[in-house]
Amino acid sequence: EEDETLQEWFSGYWPALFRNKPWSVVEPLREICTDQTCDWFMRSNIMEAVLDLAHQQSEVELEQSLDWAAQIVADEEEDWECRLLIANNLLDYPRDHHRTLLNDMAARQSGFGVHFDERDINRAYARGTDAPSWERFNDPWYFYESREIEKRQQRWQKEDRDEYNIDPGIIDVMARESGYHDQTYQRETPKIGRNEPCPCGSGKKYKKCCIEKVSIV
């Protein structure tokens, strides 16, 4: 249901999670990509891992994998959403012989939810370099690093202050009177991020579960 599955949680991170795996994993991953009984979102995510592994392997493997991906995009029997998402991968690796296919895919999109258009294609080819979108997800564990935790705590402190329109000077006085002046702000219990798992154990994201109950209270 929408963004409540593990597929979305791992979206973008599959290349990083497979980067230390042997080349032998590519074949079963390819089978997932071409299995039309599998969910199209999962197939498109796994395609990113296949292309990244090929990129790490050699230029020849990368070119062959890109052409193989292009065949899926061009297959009229394939799921349309899957074709569009894989076509986005081809934009990350702009090749002249794929441009006609991408232009055709762009021309067939309209209305709400357009994945890419002619301007996106022109920008990708003007860039002239490979720029995989998943590179920004190279570290799946950054969320749990001490500096990231500290940054979130500071942001939450600011959000609380802004939400209740409390003068920072008043907060400073209250901190001194309570004996916590110059100490790092820390909640008694961690604040739950909207995209974190709900503490009730439902498996859903907090924004899709108990946050609504808290808002009502």
Side-chain angles (χ1 to χ4, degrees):
E1 296 179 8
E2 297 184 18
D3 61 353
E4 297 177 3
T5 67
L6 284 175
Q7 294 184 45
E8 193 209 342
W9 282 99
F10 284 105
S11 179
Y13 290 111
W14 290 112
L17 294 171
F18 274 99
R19 198 157 291 154
N20 64 344
K21 305 302 185 292
W23 177 249
S24 58
V25 304
V26 168
E27 191 57 36
L29 291 181
R30 281 175 173 254
E31 291 178 6
I32 294 174
C33 292
T34 55
D35 186 351
Q36 296 188 25
T37 64
C38 289
D39 179 81
W40 58 265
F41 186 60
M42 174 58 72
R43 294 170 63 197
S44 62
N45 273 274
I46 293 301
M47 176 63 76
E48 295 181 353
V50 171
L51 294 179
D52 187 62
L53 285 166
H55 196 166
Q56 304 300 319
Q57 183 74 2
S58 69
E59 187 64 29
V60 172
E61 288 291 348
L62 174 60
E63 296 305 318
Q64 291 177 350
S65 295
L66 289 172
D67 288 344
W68 168 73
Q71 291 176 11
I72 296 177
V73 175
D75 187 351
E76 294 293 338
E77 299 299 319
E78 274 287 359
D79 182 274
W80 176 244
E81 288 295 330
C82 187
R83 293 172 65 190
L84 287 174
L85 288 175
I86 295 177
N88 271 307
N89 297 153
L90 296 181
L91 282 177
D92 292 333
Y93 294 94
R95 299 295 186 268
D96 288 340
H97 56 288
H98 296 154
R99 188 160 189 169
T100 299
L101 173 62
L102 291 170
N103 284 333
D104 177 65
M105 295 293 288
R108 294 169 65 179
Q109 299 177 64
S110 62
F112 179 76
V114 172
H115 286 250
F116 59 89
D117 56 24
E118 184 179 354
R119 291 171 298 180
D120 296 314
I121 296 173
N122 291 337
R123 279 193 293 267
Y125 280 85
R127 183 181 69 236
T129 57
D130 295 342
S133 56
W134 53 84
E135 286 186 340
R136 66 183 186 277
F137 297 107
N138 273 337
D139 183 5
W141 319 117
Y142 83 97
F143 183 85
Y144 305 100
E145 293 178 356
S146 297
R147 66 175 182 271
E148 293 299 323
I149 293 174
E150 183 178 355
K151 283 166 59 177
R152 286 197 297 276
Q153 289 176 336
Q154 292 174 352
R155 186 182 75 249
W156 292 334
Q157 181 183 15
K158 182 179 184 301
E159 289 173 355
D160 284 348
R161 186 171 63 240
D162 293 344
E163 180 179 359
Y164 296 105
N165 296 316
I166 301 176
D167 189 308
I170 296 177
I171 292 181
D172 190 52
V173 171
M174 294 172 62
R176 285 199 301 272
E177 292 178 350
S178 63
Y180 289 97
H181 186 58
D182 293 332
Q183 292 188 19
T184 302
Y185 171 84
Q186 188 172 3
R187 296 172 178 272
E188 293 182 2
T189 58
K191 182 174 180 179
I192 306 166
R194 288 174 55 82
N195 289 311
E196 295 181 41
C198 189
C200 75
S202 66
K204 299 181 179 180
K205 290 186 178 181
Y206 183 50
K207 68 181 180 182
K208 291 287 186 177
C209 194
C210 290
I211 191 173
E212 297 179 1
K213 300 176 185 177
V214 173
S215 298
I216 293 174
V217 173

